[in-house]
Amino acid sequence: MAVTISLSLLLCLTVAALLRRGTVTTAPALACTAFGFTLASTGLAPAITRLMHVLADLIATV
């Protein structure tokens, strides 16, 4: 659970920085957020969660 919270915080900060720099405007950011929510409700959600855990474990061992 801590990995998910940390990753969520990191992604939130990244999106906020991109919005602040003007690299990404509000509309595409909202579209990506909506896509993320819809993707989380599909059958791919467990596979994506496993992938994130594997990547977090890989980063932790480096």
Side-chain angles (χ1 to χ4, degrees):
M1 188 67 176
V3 171
T4 303
I5 292 169
S6 297
L7 181 59
S8 296
L9 180 61
L10 177 65
L11 291 173
C12 178
L13 292 174
T14 302
V15 169
L18 290 172
L19 285 170
R20 191 161 170 85
R21 283 185 70 197
T23 306
V24 175
T25 58
T26 304
L30 291 175
C32 289
T33 302
F35 176 67
F37 276 110
T38 56
L39 190 61
S41 65
T42 66
L44 287 175
I48 294 169
T49 302
R50 281 193 303 271
L51 175 65
M52 293 308 228
H53 285 283
V54 167
L55 290 174
D57 290 339
L58 180 67
I59 291 170
T61 59
V62 172

